[in-house]
């Protein structure tokens, strides 16, 4: 893979500064390392969970260092608890900032969720009531993160299984206001949109029509489990343990057609398949991105030819 991407010195000069294009990528799992290194047609980028690299050294950093030398990396936080009632964990934030400084990732992202209360950590990304109070707290926490790392983050929309009666903002308007107040970007997880829309009985298409797509810097796709609740209604679980579902691919094509190509990652975090299976999912997203690029190129060419004809 070496030499696939144009290189230039990074701020710290430790790694190539790969310009991240609107390519398709995949989540990195250590069992795929050798296959990725040997792959002569790599994916566009790899994403790692920040919390897996908060030790000082050892095999995880050895693998990530080697990958960062040859391919763009996106750093995805899962434990910041940006929506939590308490102040952010300063030690966790310092470790997160140290990772950003150490690896200079192409993208940095976190979740619109909470996962801590007092001294208890929940191994879930829990939903928030969308109120003015929540908005102030989330914006304060994002400001703190962005000040600590010296760059904007992308904030991911959640998958949810309950809604709060006290919410006074729609999720899409809440995200728009967070972007307005903090200057952060958005990570649009289309599987999360489909999961939440199905669980709550609203239209995923209408949700996406209201989503501030012009602020989206990355898209996530993933598989979900299909279950039923106690009353027999469909209940989707954001399981990340299987291929992307057809309805999610349809929504993704709609978003790319409207927004244009955006770096897109396929997540797979359980029941991990062999690398060729995960890579094929990423390549399917890459083909949709490439088709969009070709449509845009044809449109621009047609516009130039029309202008030339008029002249």
């Amino acid at each position: 893979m070496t030499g696939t991407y144009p290189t230039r010195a990074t701020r710290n000069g430790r790694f190539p500064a790969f310009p991240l294009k609107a390519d398709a990528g995949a989540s990195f799992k250590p069992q795929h390392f050798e296959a990725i290194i040997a792959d002569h047609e790599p994916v566009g980028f790899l994403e790692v969970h920040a919390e897996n690299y908060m030790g000082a050294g050892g095999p995880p950093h050895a693998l990530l260092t080697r990958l960062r030398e040859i391919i763009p990396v996106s750093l995805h936080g899962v434990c910041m608890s940006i929506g939590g009632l308490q102040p952010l964990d300063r030690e966790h934030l310092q470790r997160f900032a140290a990772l950003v400084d150490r690896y200079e990732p192409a993208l940095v992202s976190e979740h619109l969720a909470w996962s801590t209360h007092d001294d208890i950590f929940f191994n879930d990304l829990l939903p928030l009531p969308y109120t003015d109070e929540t908005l102030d707290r989330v914006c304060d926490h994002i400001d703190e993160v962005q000040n600590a790392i010296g760059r904007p983050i992308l904030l991911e929309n959640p998958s949810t299984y309950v809604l709060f009666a006290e919410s006074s903002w729609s999720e899409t308007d809440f995200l728009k206001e967070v972007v307005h107040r903090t200057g952060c970007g958005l990570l649009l997880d289309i599987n999360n949109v489909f999961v939440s829309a199905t669980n709550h009985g609203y239209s995923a298409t209408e949700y996406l029509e209201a989503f501030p797509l012009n602020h989206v810097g990355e898209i996530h796709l993933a598989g979900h489990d299909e279950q039923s609740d106690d009353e027999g209604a469909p209940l989707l679980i954001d399981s990340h343990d299987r291929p992307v579902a057809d309805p999610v691919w349809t929504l993704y094509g709609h978003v790319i057609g409207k927004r244009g190509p955006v770096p897109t990652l396929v997540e797979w975090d359980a029941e991990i398949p062999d690398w060729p299976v995960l890579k094929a999912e990423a390549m399917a997203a890459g083909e949709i991105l490439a088709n969009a690029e070709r449509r845009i190129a044809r449109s621009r060419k047609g516009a130039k030819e029309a202008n030339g004809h008029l002249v």
Side-chain angles (χ1 to χ4, degrees), residues 44-115:
F45 67 104
L46 295 169
E47 185 167 280
V48 299
H49 288 177
E51 286 71 15
N52 291 333
Y53 300 90
M54 288 192 167
H61 282 287
L63 298 186
L64 183 54
T65 297
R66 177 65 180 129
L67 291 173
R68 181 60 184 84
E69 289 171 344
I70 60 176
I71 195 167
V73 167
S74 174
L75 188 68
H76 190 48
V78 296
C79 298
M80 192 68 75
S81 196
I82 276 178
L85 285 172
Q86 302 163 238
L88 295 181
D89 183 326
R90 294 291 177 84
E91 183 177 349
H92 182 88
L93 180 55
Q94 289 173 358
R95 289 177 176 173
F96 190 89
L99 273 175
V100 173
D101 182 64
R102 181 170 180 172
Y103 290 105
E104 298 188 68
L107 299 169
V108 180
S109 53
E110 251 291 351
H111 297 83
L112 179 60
W114 66 279
S115 53

Side-chain angles (χ1 to χ4, degrees), residues 19-25 44-45 252 256 260-264 285-286 289-290 293:
L20 182 59
K21 300 178 292 184
D23 283 333
F45 67 104
Y252 175 61
I256 294 301
V262 179
T264 300
L289 292 171
E293 292 278 11

Side-chain angles (χ1 to χ4, degrees), residues 192-205:
N192 287 356
V193 172
F194 185 72
V195 166
S196 296
T198 302
N199 290 343
H200 303 308
Y202 59 76
S203 166
T205 301

